[in-house]
Amino acid sequence: MKTLRLYLLALLALTAGACNRTSEKETETRRNLVYGIDADNYRLETAEVGKGETMSKILNSYGITVRQIDRLDRASKEIFPLRNIRPGHKYTVFIHEDSLYSPHLDYLVYETDRTGFVVFGFHDNDSVSVRKDTKPMTIRRTQRSAVINSSLWGSIMEQNLPYSLAAEMENIYQWTVDFFGIQKGDSFTVIYDELFIDDTVSAGIGRVWGAKFTQGGKEYYAIPYRQGGKIQYWEADGASLRKQLLKAPLKYTRISSKFSYARKHPIYKVYRPHTGVDYAAPKGTPVHAVADGVVTFKGWAGGGGKTLKIKHAGNLMTGYLHLSGYAKGIAQGKRVSQGQLIGYVGSTGASTGPHLDYRIWRNGTPIDPLKIPQKPAEPISKQNRAGFEYVRERIMAELNGTISDEERITQLDSIPAPTKPAVPADSTAAAPAKATAKPAKK
């Protein structure tokens, strides 16, 4: 009996402890936390920093003394200097009232951007505190599809998708998909993480988990996989989506004139070769190097105006004509990398309006930039093939809607190694069927 009583007492103690822990957890969940502060204890006021307003002026209006402001200024220098506040940014004050109903400012929270904020605290004995933090984010895995009517950006806006998704897809497919050759009826399906503040306010996108872009009836998959220490995107067969050259040296524009040996010049009104592609774009549009290389010419080139020429591997050279200016650091003899900013669209030289005349030569012979064969970068390595195929099967199944939520890929840093089937002790039991065996009738 004594043993039974001790057992019951112990059981009651454990149950009480569990109840207390549950109660504490429920209490924590019920707390109204705003910027990590229990807001139920305060009266909150929200405003925006006015033009010419300083943090000292704002704090002084809430009764914070010059001495406290000086301490706060020194305490915040390494975290967020008070002089860095900007007009139009939101701030929230947390005010409590003492027994005589006199208001006291305990915290001022300044929002540095859409997600970041700084908490300035004012405590007993004139002490202060400074804490920098970010708003909690909710991540929602999202899959969306769209048929393109005019452009990728147009379809993104029509479907009310995050604008950053269009930029991310252009970055992924910039070597493979011709975004200047988009036609009505082309389509895409994409899986991505969408970020939300307070579960309601969209804060852009996170990782793109996979995509399928259909252009001219051909499907281009983008499968993420880590190789060489970073996550890159690959075609379904394991070839890299990265190619020797970018499809185009700039974005957000249109082709106004194509490669031709007999084009009527818009200024001289005579037929002459135009061995390049003209991209109409606003003055100042960034121009990027299409491949790694060395600048061989920077300067005025007659009708071409301000021009850059870059030599690349494989006896290739690219030219960028009619620029309004050059990027900082660009000089003859300098090495540039693929995608690097090299200049800006202009209308210098013989030009009727702002555009980029983009040219490619191989061994000195001009070739059509829209028809140059592309060599892919290094493919998936042999040692990564099994892991890549594991990811590819699940991403493609998710894109095509044939996989459950439990089976989909949720991380790319620890892909399980494929397991070999165990060989039974009785090897005769595992003998494969003969190749001549007829398939079962359906």
Side-chain angles (χ1 to χ4, degrees):
M1 289 295 291
K2 185 177 179 181
T3 303
L4 180 61
R5 283 198 300 272
L6 289 172
Y7 172 76
L8 290 172
L9 287 170
L11 183 62
L12 286 170
L14 287 171
T15 304
C19 289
N20 287 337
R21 286 192 297 272
T22 302
S23 178
E24 290 170 3
K25 188 174 181 180
E26 289 174 350
T27 301
E28 180 71 22
T29 302
R30 286 196 299 267
R31 289 172 65 195
N32 179 24
L33 296 178
V34 179
Y35 301 110
I37 303 167
D38 191 348
D40 289 336
N41 298 326
Y42 297 96
R43 171 166 55 89
L44 273 60
E45 294 180 6
T46 299
E48 289 185 356
V49 178
K51 187 176 181 180
E53 206 167 25
T54 64
M55 182 62 79
S56 297
K57 184 178 179 180
I58 295 170
L59 292 174
N60 190 252
S61 69
Y62 287 100
I64 301 300
T65 65
V66 173
R67 183 179 179 181
Q68 282 181 298
I69 294 173
D70 182 61
R71 285 187 176 183
L72 185 68
D73 184 50
R74 284 185 275 116
S76 63
K77 279 183 178 177
E78 299 299 323
I79 302 172
F80 184 84
L82 299 185
R83 65 177 181 277
N84 285 357
I85 69 166
R86 295 292 181 266
H89 283 237
K90 173 184 170 183
Y91 66 88
T92 301
V93 294
F94 292 71
I95 299 170
H96 86 271
E97 294 178 343
D98 61 20
S99 57
L100 299 177
Y101 300 102
S102 297
H104 296 274
L105 176 66
D106 279 8
Y107 298 99
L108 183 147
V109 181
Y110 171 81
E111 294 194 355
T112 56
D113 52 38
R114 203 174 187 182
T115 60
F117 60 90
V118 184
V119 179
F120 301 107
F122 305 91
H123 315 291
D124 295 335
N125 302 319
D126 285 347
S127 63
V128 297
S129 62
V130 184
R131 172 172 62 88
K132 201 171 183 180
D133 209 338
T134 56
K135 297 176 183 178
M137 293 275 208
T138 301
I139 300 175
R140 296 181 199 163
R141 189 158 172 139
T142 306
Q143 178 171 332
R144 297 296 296 270
S145 299
V147 176
I148 298 173
N149 292 316
S150 56
S151 67
L152 174 64
W153 282 82
S155 65
I156 292 290
M157 288 187 286
E158 289 168 7
Q159 297 294 320
N160 199 28
L161 301 178
Y163 291 165
S164 53
L165 182 61
E168 189 65 23
M169 290 188 68
E170 284 191 339
N171 285 335
I172 291 171
Y173 282 113
Q174 61 184 311
W175 299 272
T176 308
V177 172
D178 181 7
F179 288 101
F180 300 103
I182 292 289
Q183 297 181 358
K184 187 174 182 178
D186 290 346
S187 62
F188 66 86
T189 298
V190 60
I191 304 164
Y192 61 96
D193 287 336
E194 188 165 6
L195 310 178
F196 289 88
I197 302 170
D198 299 328
D199 259 348
T200 56
V201 181
S202 178
I205 67 171
R207 172 169 295 159
V208 171
W209 288 97
K212 179 173 68 173
F213 202 106
T214 303
Q215 184 176 39
K218 185 176 179 180
E219 294 180 341
Y220 300 92
Y221 281 91
I223 310 297
Y225 191 77
R226 186 181 296 279
Q227 178 166 290
K230 62 181 179 179
I231 293 174
Q232 304 174 59
Y233 290 88
W234 313 83
E235 297 188 40
D237 61 0
S240 175
L241 279 176
R242 293 179 65 93
K243 300 296 189 292
Q244 182 186 9
L245 302 177
L246 298 179
K247 276 287 185 180
L250 71 174
K251 299 178 182 178
Y252 325 128
T253 182
R254 63 182 176 84
I255 293 176
S256 56
S257 182
K258 294 185 178 181
F259 186 98
S260 172
Y261 279 101
R263 185 193 72 156
K264 189 175 182 179
H265 196 281
I267 294 179
Y268 303 127
K269 307 301 182 184
V270 295
Y271 286 91
R272 58 167 60 177
H274 179 258
T275 54
V277 173
D278 285 350
Y279 293 98
K283 182 180 178 181
T285 298
V287 177
H288 304 271
V290 296
D292 296 349
V294 176
V295 177
T296 58
F297 179 84
K298 173 191 173 184
W300 190 267
K306 291 182 179 180
T307 297
L308 276 177
K309 290 185 179 180
I310 302 174
K311 185 178 181 181
H312 311 281
N315 295 317
L316 290 176
M317 180 176 289
T318 55
Y320 311 82
L321 287 64
H322 306 301
L323 299 173
S324 62
Y326 310 101
K328 185 178 180 180
I330 297 300
Q332 189 166 322
K334 288 286 186 179
R335 175 165 291 278
V336 295
S337 57
Q338 187 179 63
Q340 181 178 334
L341 176 65
I342 56 174
Y344 304 90
V345 169
S347 188
T348 55
S351 169
T352 58
H355 72 285
L356 175 72
D357 184 346
Y358 169 54
R359 305 193 177 202
I360 301 181
W361 298 268
R362 176 179 281 135
N363 294 319
T365 301
I367 55 179
D368 188 345
L370 300 180
K371 296 180 180 179
I372 184 170
Q374 289 279 49
K375 294 181 180 179
E378 183 183 358
I380 284 290
S381 62
K382 186 176 180 180
Q383 59 266 34
N384 286 332
R385 172 60 64 170
F388 169 75
E389 290 178 352
Y390 176 90
V391 173
R392 178 194 64 194
E393 289 170 8
R394 282 152 182 80
I395 294 296
M396 291 180 69
E398 188 174 356
L399 285 166
N400 295 316
T402 58
I403 195 172
S404 66
D405 289 348
E406 293 75 21
E407 295 175 300
R408 65 189 186 186
I409 293 292
T410 57
Q411 51 78 35
L412 295 169
D413 295 322
S414 180
I415 304 302
T419 56
K420 294 181 180 180
V423 179
D426 182 3
S427 59
T428 58
K434 292 183 179 179
T436 54
K438 295 181 179 180
K441 291 183 179 180
K442 293 184 178 179

